[in-house]
Amino acid sequence: MLSAAWRARPSQPLPRLRLVDPLPRPRPTLATVLIRMGAIRPSDLVRALALQSRHAGHLGDILLSHGMISDATLLAAQERQFGARRITMAQGLPDARLIDRLGGARCLALGCLPWALAGGVCIVATAQPERFEANRPTLEAALGPVAMALVSRAELHRMVLETRSAALRDYAETCVPEALSCRDWTRRGLHRWLAAVVILVLTAAVLDPVATGWAMTGLASGWLAVMTGLKLAAAIAARRKARDPAPPAGPVAARLPVVSIMVPLFREPGTVRPLINRLARLSYPRDLFDVLLVVEEHDTPTRRALEAETLPHWMRVIPVPDAPLRTKPRALNFALLFARGSIVGVYDAEDAPEPDQIIRVARHFARAAPQVACVQGMLDYFNPGTNWLSRCFTLEYAAWFRLLLPGKERLGLVLPLGGTTLFFRRGILERLGGWDAHNVTEDADLGIRLARQGFRTEILDTTTFEEANCHLLPWIKQRSRWIKGYAITYFVHMRDPRALLRDLGLRRFAGFQVQFLGTLMQVILAPMLLSFWALVLGFGHPLQGTAPAGMLWALSGFYMMSLAADMAVHLLALHNRHHRALIPWVLTLPLYFPLATIAAYKALWELMTAPFYWDKTEHGKYASRADATHVARF
């Protein structure tokens, strides 16, 4: 009996399948079939076989990635090799009910797609026929007896998107357990609680401004002391680590793994061609390289720009089904379903990574302990000389990635991840459910969830150059999104403080409080500290006369010392040759830091009104500088 899907198409014959071979013969190799077909030059085949001996990859992937054969030629050869027939979308769509038995995500993982029932046997189209027998027990457990047909990987992906995109879209939005997700922010009424706290503070300020002013000044000074202490401790730890002898190199894996790189693009048509050129410079074996350009289905300008390019076989476009929620983590979760690699990385559209970065990441994972789930590369800017804001932004990144993050790693603290140049062991990433699709700083949240499960993040000294956000309004929008995400991440993980303490331990729990709550309090209460400038410059102070004069001057002196310590940390980070021209600009950082407070108040408003809104940062204005050089000129 045929399925209902096939009965509706009686004019479309089933592929002829050889279910039982009465005289089994050894299956010819793919190389043999291609030679018999005259489909490949012997010299190309010799080169491909040499690559296969080094990489242990599939010969078909090697031939395709190096342009030695086409998809059509490979499928024709596999038809002869396996005695199976090819299925295409021209024959219609697969039976969705059969796909649901296996699950759309499982179909993509196995490279298999249930097609139709024929005589009690389920025809399964596969893009990896060499793995079909290994997958047979899994397939038969869900589908009963199966027989193999062939399909290209691109066709398989298109069929899954055509039939099950809604289910995959829902999965991408909810794959993180609800207890660790912020998607119930409004349902829990947290926005209303936050609004109530804000109203309470404002009311107290009106009713008793002096008491409220001293309370907030004390709170701001306390958190400043803690944050300054952590920065100095991290900077000292990072400098000690830099002086330590390098640990002996462990064994390197004989075979490099398949690495998938996901690059989300949204309303960025101008970045497409430069991005493709920069990714092509990465010196990783093409048959082991899998680049996914992730674009929203409704983003017509970017999709047209991608369609205008001739992409290499190792680079493909993943359209993300449209939905009210349009965030980067949602797009990453969706694209992860289509990735091939055992290591998964993330770049931004304007990134210019160092050419050997992927090889270094693969080797680092090969030497690292199994508990190392993530490798974070360093970020720098290729356009710091644009204006004052870009110079200060570059100073901030230099301190964060070259001193503070490595220092916190040495101190054993939880590391909030950056949004790009991140690489994960795929199995661990999937075990955690990927990214929280509703969190606008999904990277920082994922770093906490990794730590709670006992995994580690390590910093790798390899650099990706980015485009500095060097205009005031876009900078404030970007920073407000980061602050909003930090706040959401803090509240999500503090739903059950005892569970968080149990998962992290006392030291890392305290470090979490300082890094997240301390950052939020510092930027929100910064005006209380900035008011000390009025006293130092001779203009008096709003609280003058309400306490002994020595107290205000002591607090002013402490604030100035903390500011000097912060500037010293930034100076220590400028040890690279191409950063030294920034040294004079360190003196202007006291004018740069208060900008974050403006962003914080915008974030506070959005936490109450639009917690999941993703304020997109525009990129691509200075892409030519990344193509010209990876070393910034000032």
Side-chain angles (χ1 to χ4, degrees), residues 145 169 207 247 261 325 351 379 390 490 511 533 560 571 576 580:
R169 178 197 63 201
L207 296 177
I261 299 295
L325 182 69
D351 284 355
L379 302 180
S390 65
Y490 180 78
W533 279 109
M560 296 302 165
L571 277 173
N576 283 352
R580 289 173 187 165

Side-chain angles (χ1 to χ4, degrees), residues 264-418:
L265 300 100
F266 185 54
R267 297 175 184 168
E268 297 173 292
T271 67
V272 168
R273 180 166 296 177
L275 170 66
I276 293 170
N277 292 335
R278 291 195 293 269
L279 292 175
R281 295 180 190 142
L282 290 166
S283 57
Y284 201 72
R286 292 298 182 248
D287 51 299
L288 303 177
F289 201 30
D290 177 38
V291 173
L292 293 80
L293 304 176
V294 189
V295 60
E296 295 287 338
E297 186 178 53
H298 72 285
D299 185 2
T300 304
T302 307
R303 295 194 67 178
R304 285 177 178 169
L306 289 167
E307 290 167 0
E309 300 294 330
T310 302
L311 300 180
H313 187 271
W314 46 271
M315 192 178 293
R316 51 205 168 103
V317 176
I318 304 297
V320 182
D322 196 16
L325 182 69
R326 296 171 184 169
T327 61
K328 175 182 174 182
R330 169 183 172 267
L332 291 175
N333 285 335
F334 189 85
L336 182 61
L337 297 168
F338 296 83
R340 295 195 298 120
S342 58
I343 294 175
V344 177
V346 179
Y347 285 137
D348 283 338
E350 81 280 11
D351 284 355
E354 292 179 326
D356 65 343
Q357 188 169 98
I358 308 300
I359 289 178
R360 295 187 62 189
V361 168
R363 290 175 176 170
H364 188 91
F365 271 120
R367 295 189 180 104
Q371 292 77 22
V372 176
C374 175
V375 168
Q376 167 77 70
M378 296 185 177
L379 302 180
D380 207 335
Y381 288 127
F382 54 68
N383 63 317
T386 304
N387 56 25
W388 169 76
L389 192 59
S390 65
R391 289 182 177 94
C392 291
F393 211 165
T394 305
L395 284 168
E396 186 180 19
Y397 258 43
W400 180 250
F401 283 99
R402 300 186 184 279
L403 271 185
L404 299 181
L405 268 185
K408 291 175 182 179
E409 178 192 0
R410 184 181 176 94
L411 293 173
L413 301 180
V414 173
L415 298 185
L417 305 177

